[in-house]
Amino acid sequence: TAGVALELASRHQCRVVGLDVSPGMLRRGRRAVLRKDLPESVHLVQGLAQRMPFPEAAFDAGVFTYLLRYVEDPEAAVTELVRVLKPDGIFICSSPNRDVTNPKIPANVQPVNPYHIREYDKNEWLSLLERHFSSVHHYGQNPQNIYFLFLVC
């Protein structure tokens, strides 16, 4: 629904490009962009995280919330994100903590939520991100550690 893109554009007066595979979500997001009167600041594009329709080193920063729980190949999605980030770019991501949201369910078993392909614990996240970024910082997003927040460079 373009919520993060709208927040970034309105708070930081920056240009934001959003990507989503779903035409329905893009329609909802575009309506929200118009309601907030930010069509010059927020541009929404249809595409896959694993094959982004952008040139190399196109972005200063990348942000995603919860993306990897929906993709079949998280390694490809992170590799693609690295490709489109500038060499000195930063990436911020957020995700549920499988140890809290689906305790005792192994990584290779479908999460309780049928829309999620997979959820991750802290060590899985760190392992994935550290393969692609030289600096990875983990922050808890809330006191219960339900969600992770990572800043990587």
Side-chain angles (χ1 to χ4, degrees):
T1 58
V4 172
L6 290 167
E7 283 295 316
L8 287 170
S10 64
R11 289 183 186 208
H12 301 286
Q13 290 74 49
C14 59
R15 187 164 187 273
V16 179
V17 177
L19 179 77
D20 200 299
V21 69
S22 166
M25 291 303 286
L26 288 167
R27 277 191 300 278
R28 289 177 61 191
R30 289 180 179 126
R31 285 193 299 267
V33 167
L34 292 174
R35 275 194 310 275
K36 295 279 188 175
D37 195 28
L38 290 169
E40 300 300 316
S41 299
V42 178
H43 180 66
L44 303 177
V45 177
Q46 185 172 5
L48 294 172
Q50 303 91 314
R51 289 189 311 275
M52 294 186 204
F54 310 117
E56 288 185 24
F59 299 101
D60 296 309
V63 175
F64 72 62
T65 55
Y66 318 126
L67 169 72
L68 292 187
R69 65 187 182 184
Y70 299 112
V71 298
E72 292 282 346
D73 188 351
E75 192 77 37
V78 175
T79 298
E80 188 66 352
L81 178 67
V82 170
R83 183 188 70 78
V84 301
L85 276 177
K86 291 181 180 176
D88 61 346
I90 64 166
F91 166 55
I92 300 168
C93 60
S94 174
S95 179
N97 177 353
R98 185 184 73 234
D99 289 340
V100 176
T101 59
N102 283 297
K104 300 181 180 141
I105 295 179
N108 62 343
V109 174
Q110 172 75 35
V112 173
N113 186 319
Y115 297 105
H116 298 181
I117 293 171
R118 180 167 178 207
E119 292 181 357
Y120 301 84
D121 67 24
K122 179 182 173 183
N123 291 331
E124 291 166 327
W125 263 104
L126 288 171
S127 176
L128 174 63
L129 296 174
E130 287 172 345
R131 286 195 297 276
H132 296 276
F133 296 95
S134 60
S135 177
V136 177
H137 305 277
H138 165 255
Y139 304 91
Q141 193 170 330
N142 57 40
Q144 297 81 25
N145 282 320
I146 295 172
Y147 297 99
F148 299 126
L149 182 65
F150 294 93
L151 170 63
V152 294
C153 308

